[in-house]
Amino acid sequence: MSVQTERTDTGTAAAPGVRKTDVTPPGDTGSARRRGGASAPYLLLLPALLATVILLGWPLVKNGVLSFQNLNPRQLILHLTEWRGFDNYTDVLGGSDFWKVVQRTVVFTTVNVVLIMLLGTLVGLLLARLGKRMRLLLMLGLVLAWAMPVIAATTVYQWLFAQRFGVVNWLLAKAGWSSMADYNWFGTQLSTFSVITLLIVWQSIPFVAINLYAATTTIPKELYEAASIDGAGTWKSFTSVTFPFMRPFLWATTFLEVIWVFKAFPQIFAMNRGGPDRLTETLPIYAFVEGPGNQHYGMGAAISFLTILILLGLTAYYLRTVLKQEEDEL
């Protein structure tokens, strides 16, 4: 038996199945591709950033410039520009009315946010425990309440709490409180704020409830089973399992509600225009009344700019708290 051997020249011939390819020198195409991939997120964010600068940044700059001017109908008609420097700010900060409004706004925001978060959390937990049909029905009602236009909802509440023909006064009179048959809900500061608070809480609960219900769906059921085996009750399961998972959602939702309530304008203005006797004015209402209302636009711009600074301070505090929590968790 003869064995034939085939001689190959390794220097001139390649092995079967092996193809010679050109090797790209490092630092050419690969680095350019990496640079293009790194800049892609910024290019995608560019349209949103441009829209933010145009729609928010430019009006904010114009408002800041206006806050240093003395602008009233005379200046508008004659096209005059009278600069006051910081006089608008000193007049606002030096007066007692501004600080009363700030205190009122803080108390109003605190009460509303506490009620919104408490009731919204309870409704969100209820959604997690209901059956499929009841959950769908409740979520439908929440979405309808949330989707209702603000002015339409405010008008409905004005009808409900009307002095002579309001449904609330009629129900209270039928229930035995005959003195409430002709009660003026918009005649005092406390009663007016009570109606406005009820309206804002009713409008805000759906967002909080649905948001927190979505957070409960991310909790593994095995954790509840382990807690049950360890003998944990309902409250212990909530504090040890549910609440730790919901805490980031609670922080984010609370922050959004603080901003939303703090700058609430249509509910308060459409309900009673900041009355009676300007006792229900918050900072947005105060800025509007002192600005376009009294035709002193520079003063209104200064108040609105101070309101923005307060909101930025709240935002900075929130971001600092969140970053600190993340560092503690790491």
Side-chain angles (χ1 to χ4, degrees), residues 37-195:
S39 61
Y42 299 99
L43 293 176
L44 294 175
L45 288 174
L46 187 59
L49 292 175
L50 289 176
T52 302
V53 170
I54 295 173
L55 298 178
L56 295 179
W58 179 244
L60 184 62
V61 172
K62 293 291 290 183
N63 184 80
V65 173
L66 182 60
S67 66
F68 295 101
Q69 298 178 5
N70 178 28
L71 186 61
N72 52 44
R74 176 177 174 272
Q75 279 76 19
L76 286 174
I77 295 173
L78 299 178
H79 300 284
L80 296 176
T81 301
E82 295 182 6
W83 295 95
R84 296 196 66 196
F86 289 93
D87 289 347
N88 287 333
Y89 290 95
T90 55
D91 291 344
V92 172
L93 297 175
S96 60
D97 292 339
F98 175 77
W99 298 109
K100 290 179 181 179
V101 174
V102 170
Q103 181 181 6
R104 186 185 305 143
T105 305
V106 171
V107 174
F108 174 75
T109 302
T110 302
V111 172
N112 276 270
V113 172
V114 169
L115 291 175
I116 290 169
M117 294 306 301
L118 178 61
L119 297 176
T121 302
L122 293 176
V123 176
L125 295 175
L126 177 62
L127 284 171
R129 291 181 172 271
L130 289 176
K132 185 177 181 180
R133 293 183 178 179
M134 291 300 298
R135 183 187 303 125
L136 180 62
L137 183 63
L138 180 56
M139 289 187 69
L140 179 62
L142 292 173
V143 170
L144 290 176
W146 189 27
M148 191 172 185
V150 176
I151 297 300
T154 305
T155 303
V156 170
Y157 269 72
Q158 285 177 320
W159 292 344
L160 290 175
F161 291 90
Q163 181 176 1
R164 296 187 60 188
F165 303 106
V167 177
V168 174
N169 286 353
W170 180 79
L171 290 175
L172 291 175
K174 289 292 184 182
W177 288 285
S178 57
S179 59
M180 299 295 294
D182 202 32
Y183 182 74
N184 183 12
W185 288 92
F186 306 107
T188 63
Q189 180 187 37
L190 181 60
S191 59
T192 303
F193 265 137
S194 299
V195 177

Side-chain angles (χ1 to χ4, degrees), residues 3 29 45-46 69 72 103 124 140 147 149 206 211 250 271 283 304 320 323:
V3 178
T29 308
L45 288 174
L46 187 59
Q69 298 178 5
N72 52 44
Q103 181 181 6
L140 179 62
N211 192 21
L250 286 171
M271 188 71 72
L283 277 174
S304 63
R320 179 184 176 186
L323 292 175

Side-chain angles (χ1 to χ4, degrees), residues 96-114 189 193 196-197 200 257-265 268 274 278-288 303 306-308 310-311 314:
S96 60
D97 292 339
F98 175 77
W99 298 109
K100 290 179 181 179
V101 174
V102 170
Q103 181 181 6
R104 186 185 305 143
T105 305
V106 171
V107 174
F108 174 75
T109 302
T110 302
V111 172
N112 276 270
V113 172
V114 169
Q189 180 187 37
F193 265 137
I196 297 172
T197 299
I200 292 179
E257 289 300 326
V258 167
I259 294 178
W260 193 75
V261 175
F262 193 91
K263 65 183 184 65
F265 178 86
I268 303 174
R278 304 185 64 175
L279 293 176
T280 58
E281 287 183 0
T282 57
L283 277 174
I285 307 298
Y286 182 62
F288 179 81
I303 297 172
L306 290 172
T307 304
I308 294 172
I310 294 174
L311 287 175
L314 293 175

